[in-house]
Amino acid sequence: MVAASQHPNITLMTYSEVEEVKGYVGNFNVKIRQKAKSVDHELCTGCGVCWEKCPNMVINEYDQGLSARKSIYIRFPQAVPSKPVIDRQHCRWFNRDGRCGVCSEVCQAKAIDYLQQDQVVDEEFGAIIVATGFDLFGNENSFAEYGYGTLPDVISGLHFERLSSASGPTGGKIIRPSDGKEPKSVVFIQCAGSRDDAKGKSYCSRVCCMYTAKHAHQVLEKIDDAQAYVFYMDIRTPGKAYEEFYRRSVNDGAVYLRGRVSRIFSKNNSMIVRGEDTLISKQVEIEADLVVLATAMVPGFDANIVAGLVGIGSDKDGFFEEAHPKLRPVETHTAGVYLAGTCQGPRDIPDSVAQAGSAAVKVCGLFSADERELDPITALVDEAICSGCGICLSLCPYKAIDFISVSASMAGVSFQREVAAVNEALCQGCGTCVAACRSGSINLKGFTNEQLLAEVEAVCQ
Amino acid sequence: MSVEMNAVRAAESWEPKIIAFCCNWCAYAGADLAGLNRIQYAPSVRIIRVPCSGRVNPQFILKAFQKGADAVMVAG
Amino acid sequence: MSVKGKSARLLDPLVPQKGKIIKIVDETPDIKTFYITTDEGKPFSPAPGQLAMLSLFNVGEAMFSVTSQGEEHLEFSIKKTGVLTDALHEVDEGQVIGIRGPYGNGFPLEMLKGKDILFIAGGIGLAPVRSLINFCVHSRQDYGDLQLVYGSRTPEDLCFKEDLFSRWPQGGINVDVTVDRGDEGWKGHVGFVPAYLEELSPVPVGKIVVVCGPPIMIKLVMQSLDKMQYDHEQIITTLEKRMKCGIGKCGRCNMGSVYICLDGPVFTMSQLDCMPAEL
Amino acid sequence: MKTISSMLMTQFIEALAKEMPVIAPVKNEETVSFQPWSAGMEIEWQKNSLIPPKNLFLPQVEVLYKYQVSGVNGEIEEIDADDSPRVLLGIRNCDLHSILLLDKIFLTDDYIDSAYQSRRKNTVIIVLQCSQPLSTCFCTSLGVDPRGGEGADLVLIELDQGVRGSDKMMYDPGRDFGIEARTPKGEEILKKHEDFLSDLQKKPAPLENCNLHLDERGVKEKLPKMFDHSIWADLSMRCLGCGVCTYLCPTCYCFDLQGKNVGEEGFKYRCWDSCMFSDYTMMAGGHNPRPTKRERFRNRFLHKLSYYRERYGELLCTGCGRCLAKCPVHLDITYVAEKIKEAKADVREG
Amino acid sequence: MKISEQIRDYAKKMLEEGEVKQFIGFEKGRLPFHSTPVFITEPGQVERLIWDDYCITNLSKYLVNFSHEDGKTALVVKGCDSRGIVRLIQDHQLQREKLVLIGIPCQGMKDSLRFFSKGDDSLLSPGGKCQSCTHPNPVLYDILIGEEVKSVNMDRFKKTEEIENLNIDERYLYWSREFARCIRCYACRNVCPACSCLSCYLDQHRVDWHGKDPAENASYLLTRAIHVAGRCIECGECARVCPTGVSVMELNKKLIKDINELFGEQDAGVDFSQTHPLCQYHTDDPDDFQ
Amino acid sequence: MLIKRLLEFAGIEPQRFLVKWVSSSEGQKFADTISELAAAIKALGPNRKYRDAL
């Protein structure tokens, strides 16, 4: 990220949102809202005095609520740029009519700007790579049987990740949320949501087997006499050295139980995890101090908005759809729009990086030529026949049709009239306009009305 | 049901003529997959590939019936 | 419905004979000449300027003037303009084709006999005139001075280059060629036909003018000829319109009560002056 | 005069139908057209058919030949018209006159349409006399005698029923007809079916006059100079450009030749066409010598009132009144003729 | 003052002052029950204008002929004419600013085309198209003459339902008889304010396209019905002008009824804000064809 | 769907016109759909409505 931010050809627009995407491959026009940071990043040196002095404490979302942050803050230590923003919702200056201003006072660089406004910028782009990431599945109600949300010591994998992180709120010490004690018995439940039609997620989230193996290993490594139990359905380790890593966890003492957990309930100050070990076909109950759910990966909460903005299709689970699952895995159906990472489907970091590289190279390939070859199957308007009713404009899913003015003459009188014109760069050749055109003035190259009628005739023989 | 029709049906040889307009990306690929997986389906279907089921013009459907199709399917 | 025997075939003028394209010659990028014959030899022997209806059965039917004829075949030079002609340009030699005709009256050969003739043609307009020029070349002694002024958009678009540059000049015709736009290889005249005509300024006395080309060219040529004091009785042109039947029945090609397919397509300008202007 | 009683009429028709098809005016909903009669069908005696009988000689669609093409090869098969003998019953004199006008087109010296000719030759025509014209009728202006029978083999004569006025509007099933032969063919039929005839003494119904007239005095002289007259733009403005008038007109004969492919085979057919349609004279490449309604409208009425006369000496109209009754905007030939008469000479398009 | 006179006054004033180039209204035709469209350009001609019980024609389609010309056109509009105009404006065929509309609430007009016998108009009641009129008052006008009238609450889908209630083979029989009568004169198309194509698909000469063969009547009529689906303003002109009385309108009615059932009640050509019901997509659109 | 209803209105059996979503991954569904349709049409018999005479 740091490297990216320092690259001369990369402009990083943080704290920004895309509001509108117009245009087409090579000529995208994107409206971007740069949200008011309340800190002038040109002036800010990132010295950190402001957030040290800020009197207001807010729950730290990044640490899954395990710690607190200030109203002026950097979201996470590695964030780029390493410069703070003011969380206006929680800032005293904003909530108490300017009665605070501590950060402004302490800032040597005079970078605090409470009056900063959102900036909306229009930028031209040649291609778009969508990498909007994922969210984790589940809220308090999603795993009632596991007590998630009611039992404080049932946590998600991400939560555990913060606990075990050396730069995390506990400095890497694994403690359980309820009492801060070190858990001695930790149960991991894989496929929490994933591969579970009952939860509406039929797919495999792909990363859980590996991070659970890592977490289990960390438990064994960091806590003396600790026991790690893993309930799993199948272990999937398709990656270089993945299987070996999983083996290591097992060899180092992680107990893998093949089966599903049916219930978790508290009993005498600890939790009982009841499940089935299908290998021995017996019900098992494990007393656990901490339970970690490997919850399913789901598309970002605003993925559908992004899809609508950019014009990408989504699959039944809400992940963005690629142009072809095998042959065009990083392209979308919209020319010039590419996908990278988990917005397309669950994947781990190496795969995401690989895909991002692939998308970047696709863009380089796109940009390497001055002219672009398009699929020849596009719609074409016969201007002489088009009556300009505009029905095709309202129907085109790619907004590839517009009115143009052409000169015409009737009974010797010349005048201008509006007819439809297809932007071949945008047209994806679906032919919806052709079917809707009453006068038959639009035809689809390669699938003309005549050709299809002839085909109908031929197959009816 | 007319006598004639019964006669036609009695003749085992009659197979319905089904014209299927298949979306290139969906049903056509589905049909392709069915073929790939060696899934058997009725031989009476005649597939016309269209770039999208939106391409299917009502005129095509009428024409198909006119030209002797026994059923028309649009699959997207 | 019954099927008629072969002998009855020619009874109905709307039913074509089965012909065959035996040879296709590329004239220009959008003009080809088709040689057509039937199993029994030449379909019919049209007089210069007469028309024939050609049909590609599964495409359509349209009227064309016969460009030339040989002992065993008819020639049609056809420019790509619409559905049928586009399809014609796609076919291979050997293609079956429907042909019926001849239609119309052709050029008034009696009137032309012994006269000087000035042919003026533009683009594909040379096609109908070609049959007459060939006829005149064939019986050269029957005519006085023969002159052709021909123009096309570019040198590439000139039809019948062999005729223009060798056969007809050798056959005793003065050929003057002009193009609207030259190219690096073009050493001839550049300019529009009417202007070139005025430059050449042929004298009207004893002359018959045969003019054929796109409507705008005819219009401007007429202005030039008027300027040069030509009488409209002296000027002959051949018309084109949508025709379906070829026998003056279907009701399309009439100008007033005159049917082009039946009474035309060749008219003198003075005849046309009397007809409603509906072209 | 022989008469045929209402009771025996159906039997007479049945007897005829046993020998050859009888084509008679029958109803489909409100639309009367000439259809092959079969037992049980009710013949519409009261109203003239809406669909003119021209389709019996010049069918709306007539297949000329079949073809078959595969690659460069192909075959043609000419198809004979159905020319088996038949009886055309209940045609009116105006429509009969239209057939005579069509004869001039299709049975001229230079061109004889064989299909048309054989259908004409093999059709026995039994004309039904009119005595009470409709308010849209003006046949007498065109020299048609509603009581005539020129060109018919047999004439059915309406007899005086002693009732007048609006009562006659009602369909009267108990009507008797007089019947007369006009040709040897007609004689023969009468003789053969003598049994159905009687010598009932009744007078023919009195003939009422047409209220409407096509007054074309002076039109003939004026028209040739009116090609560029502004009247065409004025008149055609109201026209919808549909084909009602041409398709219902018993004398409009313009046709189109079209083909239809059925896989590698196909057939070419001749079908009615209307000079009012925009595609009628459209040429390959998009040029249209009659680009707007004005030119098309002008051509139609000049054809009716002038061009046909120049070639064949008559107007191409029979006064049947169908265009008056059915033109959606009441733009009929009598109106046009009147406006032409009223028009000042030499008002040219600006 | 009689409506005719008011129309004449307005026409005279507008033409004299040069506000409009022409005035479209009705004049008396050849027969007493013929009222026919008239195009007045001279103030001296306004006496030709009339308004009576036979002014049934929908005038809106005529405007397309003048849409490219300079100057304004005035015309008298009934409910159906005004809906036709709204439709044509929505289809980009007319410009509102070039029109001056004189609205006349309509009680229902008598249909002279159904009249094929001697001139007794006692047989004539308001024409078939007016009997199921839902908008007798103009929905768009500049000047209104006369009092607004109440819509007769008729069941406009009565006949549609009758046909729906037939069994499938009866329905086929019904429609074969209807389609068989079509003579392909295209009057229904030419009068229709929703058929605004510059060049109808039927007029195009393409290989394997659509022939003039009456065997293709069904295809023609069904295709046309689909072409105007969602845009048909229910003026009923198509059925009225049909010389052979094919119940063309029933196909349109069926589509209107279905659209209303599937996508919610809507009347084409009433409201500019209403978009084409078949050109939008809602995630809650019914898809029970699955 | 309007077309389906219109065809029904015009007297074509509703079974004869089918619109179905089949995605590229649903080979089995495609095959099943076709087979079901074929069976239904076989039971219904050949279509004679609105067919060209020739």
Side-chain angles (χ1 to χ4, degrees), chain C residues 4 96 242 252 254 257, chain D residues 72 80 273 282 290 310:
Chain C
K4 265 185 195 163
V96 66
R242 184 176 191 88
R252 277 177 182 71
N254 63 308
S257 61
Chain D
V72 297
D80 258 355
D273 201 356
M282 182 78 84
R290 296 181 201 139
E310 282 173 41

Side-chain angles (χ1 to χ4, degrees), chain A residues 212-272:
Chain A
T212 302
K214 179 184 88 174
H215 289 168
H217 199 264
Q218 280 173 336
V219 166
L220 298 174
E221 205 174 66
K222 291 192 171 179
I223 306 171
D224 292 335
D225 320 321
Q227 253 323 328
Y229 301 92
V230 181
F231 282 93
Y232 71 101
M233 289 167 73
D234 298 288
I235 292 298
R236 298 182 169 178
T237 57
K240 194 171 172 183
Y242 281 17
E243 179 67 11
E244 293 88 328
F245 184 85
Y246 155 65
R247 285 274 151 226
R248 210 178 104 202
S249 290
V250 174
N251 291 339
D252 289 352
V255 178
Y256 270 71
L257 298 156
R258 186 175 182 278
R260 302 288 285 166
V261 171
S262 59
R263 244 188 103 198
I264 300 175
F265 50 94
S266 68
K267 194 176 169 187
N268 307 335
N269 227 6
S270 73
M271 293 179 293
I272 304 296

Side-chain angles (χ1 to χ4, degrees), chain D residues 114-214:
Chain D
S114 54
Y116 181 89
Q117 187 186 34
S118 59
R119 279 191 289 259
R120 277 290 276 129
K121 219 165 49 196
N122 290 305
T123 306
V124 175
I125 294 178
I126 306 180
V127 77
L128 173 63
Q129 285 192 341
C130 290
S131 57
Q132 197 185 21
L134 298 178
S135 57
T136 52
C137 290
F138 55 100
C139 59
T140 46
S141 310
L142 278 304
V144 175
D145 178 1
R147 304 280 281 269
E150 188 201 348
D153 297 296
L154 284 165
V155 183
L156 284 177
I157 302 157
E158 251 194 282
L159 296 177
D160 195 356
Q161 310 284 321
V163 246
R164 304 299 317 143
S166 58
D167 292 348
K168 264 191 86 180
M169 293 279 298
M170 309 309 289
Y171 171 59
D172 174 14
R175 190 178 304 174
D176 305 330
F177 287 100
I179 188 162
E180 267 177 25
R182 293 288 164 90
T183 61
K185 224 197 276 181
E187 301 267 7
E188 203 181 302
I189 290 174
L190 278 195
K191 213 160 159 198
K192 202 166 173 187
H193 299 287
E194 250 173 349
D195 301 353
F196 300 111
L197 306 178
S198 56
D199 284 313
L200 193 70
Q201 286 306 312
K202 259 190 182 175
K203 276 188 292 181
L207 175 64
E208 289 176 27
N209 287 329
C210 290
N211 291 326
L212 197 66
H213 300 283
L214 172 71

Side-chain angles (χ1 to χ4, degrees), chain D residues 231-239 297 331 335-336 339-340:
Chain D
I231 193 172
W232 301 116
D234 296 345
L235 285 173
S236 65
M237 214 173 255
R238 194 204 289 172
C239 175
F297 180 88
L331 194 51
Y335 178 84
V336 173
K339 291 288 158 192
I340 291 171

Side-chain angles (χ1 to χ4, degrees), chain D residues 325-328 330, chain E residues 33-35 53-57 108-116 121 123-130 236-237 239-242:
Chain D
K326 288 296 178 184
C327 172
H330 310 305
Chain E
F33 48 92
H34 282 183
S35 293
D53 288 349
Y54 299 101
C55 301
I56 194 166
T57 310
M109 291 287 172
K110 292 172 184 171
D111 179 5
S112 52
L113 288 179
R114 288 286 155 264
F115 183 81
F116 194 32
D121 79 7
L123 290 174
L124 296 172
S125 55
K129 77 169 210 173
C130 299
E237 283 286 271
R240 182 183 74 88
V241 301
C242 179

Side-chain angles (χ1 to χ4, degrees), chain A residues 169-317:
Chain A
T170 57
K173 187 170 164 60
I174 299 166
I175 53 172
R176 53 183 219 174
S178 60
D179 52 10
K181 281 190 189 148
E182 218 172 34
K184 293 293 176 191
S185 163
V186 182
V187 173
F188 294 90
I189 303 175
Q190 290 193 189
C191 298
S194 309
R195 303 179 65 196
D196 187 352
D197 281 331
K199 297 266 190 275
K201 311 283 158 214
S202 52
Y203 54 89
C204 166
S205 289
R206 277 184 67 178
V207 296
C208 331
C209 285
M210 293 318 295
Y211 76 65
T212 302
K214 179 184 88 174
H215 289 168
H217 199 264
Q218 280 173 336
V219 166
L220 298 174
E221 205 174 66
K222 291 192 171 179
I223 306 171
D224 292 335
D225 320 321
Q227 253 323 328
Y229 301 92
V230 181
F231 282 93
Y232 71 101
M233 289 167 73
D234 298 288
I235 292 298
R236 298 182 169 178
T237 57
K240 194 171 172 183
Y242 281 17
E243 179 67 11
E244 293 88 328
F245 184 85
Y246 155 65
R247 285 274 151 226
R248 210 178 104 202
S249 290
V250 174
N251 291 339
D252 289 352
V255 178
Y256 270 71
L257 298 156
R258 186 175 182 278
R260 302 288 285 166
V261 171
S262 59
R263 244 188 103 198
I264 300 175
F265 50 94
S266 68
K267 194 176 169 187
N268 307 335
N269 227 6
S270 73
M271 293 179 293
I272 304 296
V273 178
R274 179 183 289 162
E276 190 190 13
D277 184 340
T278 55
L279 293 178
I280 54 171
S281 294
K282 281 224 169 102
Q283 199 182 57
V284 291
E285 280 189 3
I286 294 166
E287 203 179 316
D289 299 324
L290 184 67
V291 177
V292 183
L293 303 180
T295 48
M297 231 185 217
V298 293
F301 69 95
D302 54 357
N304 59 338
I305 299 172
V306 175
L309 274 177
V310 190
I312 351 178
S314 302
D315 62 19
K316 68 182 196 324
D317 298 309

